Amino acid sequence: MKTYGAEFLGTFWLVLGGCGSAVLAAAFPNVGIGLLGVSLAFGLTVLTMAFAIGHISGCHLNPAVSFGLWAGGRFPGKELIPYIVAQVFGGIAAGGILFLIASGKPGFVLSDGFASNGYGAHSPGGYGLPSALICEIVMTAMFLIVILGATDKRAPQGFAPIAIGLCLTLIHLISIPVTNTSVNPARSTGVALYVGDWAVAQLWLFWVAPIFGGILGAILYRLIGREPTEGSGK
């Protein structure tokens, strides 16, 4: 249960820190942190939690990461459902806390988005479903390649949280205009349930694409990251 509790708290921090920065601070008058600040906030949540709970649960914080680690041979399939449940509930709890904070501001309305992910009319840049689907698959696949590579026993030890956190920052810098960046079904669910309506209607994409992308990234890493057989040189 300690591992599930760690995943709950870690995902809670990711959604509260990342989505909280978008809802509360991104466009704050005169000193808003903007796209760069929100991107960095998401990366920092993963970096800090990787150091805090990586030794307890592995710090997945993301169903797509759990699926990817399973596909990469780094995580047992029997733990998938409990991990995902803990992650989703952590995201929903964070969404609730964020709602309690944000609703204290006059004029706050959930229909403004509440950092939800979307495509078409609900994409920050107006990108359609195909663009959103491709973006989420590719970004999540690259995220898994970095995670698997940085945590490989042959990689420099102790630096994985930094590489993974910076990778998530970069992913957000690229894809916030397209989908508001998910690459994480728990993050998407944690705020979409409070918005309802269009956010829930489009939530399917932010489960299907990241999980598919996570598995794809794991397969690609297994192809390029396989240790060479003795004497083969490859």
Side-chain angles (χ1 to χ4, degrees):
M1 293 303 297
K2 290 181 180 179
T3 59
Y4 308 145
E7 284 297 302
F8 175 93
L9 288 174
T11 311
F12 176 91
W13 183 232
L14 183 147
V15 174
L16 185 63
C19 295
S21 70
V23 172
L24 304 175
F28 189 76
N30 303 321
V31 290
I33 61 174
L35 186 152
L36 177 59
V38 173
S39 300
L40 185 59
F42 272 100
L44 288 173
T45 62
V46 170
L47 189 154
T48 52
M49 271 297 155
F51 280 116
I53 67 168
H55 55 287
I56 301 172
S57 69
C59 192
H60 299 189
L61 318 185
N62 182 342
V65 170
S66 296
F67 266 102
L69 292 174
W70 164 75
R74 304 270 192 92
F75 188 64
K78 66 180 181 179
E79 294 288 347
L80 273 174
I81 298 302
Y83 261 60
I84 291 170
V85 170
Q87 293 156 2
V88 170
F89 275 98
I92 293 171
I97 294 297
L98 181 57
F99 173 76
L100 291 175
I101 296 170
S103 60
K105 179 182 177 181
F108 169 75
V109 287
L110 279 170
S111 59
D112 286 343
F114 200 51
S116 292
N117 303 112
Y119 54 85
H122 304 289
S123 159
Y127 291 85
L129 191 154
S131 296
L133 189 66
I134 294 169
C135 184
E136 288 290 326
I137 290 173
V138 173
M139 294 301 158
T140 314
M142 295 307 300
F143 192 34
L144 261 294
I145 290 171
V146 171
I147 290 171
L148 289 167
T151 56
D152 195 302
K153 64 183 180 180
R154 295 166 291 170
Q157 299 300 298
F159 295 99
I162 298 172
I164 295 167
L166 289 176
C167 179
L168 189 60
T169 298
L170 176 58
I171 286 170
H172 279 77
L173 287 171
I174 297 168
S175 60
I176 283 178
V178 183
T179 61
N180 221 15
T181 308
S182 171
V183 301
N184 184 338
R187 167 262 188 270
S188 299
T189 304
V191 289
L193 292 184
Y194 294 91
V195 177
D197 193 26
W198 65 266
V200 172
Q202 295 190 354
L203 185 58
W204 67 270
L205 186 144
F206 303 105
W207 273 87
V208 173
I211 289 174
F212 181 81
I215 294 172
L216 176 63
I219 293 171
L220 291 173
Y221 186 77
R222 293 188 79 160
L223 290 174
I224 66 169
R226 183 183 293 114
E227 293 191 61
T229 56
E230 188 174 351
S232 69
K234 298 181 180 179

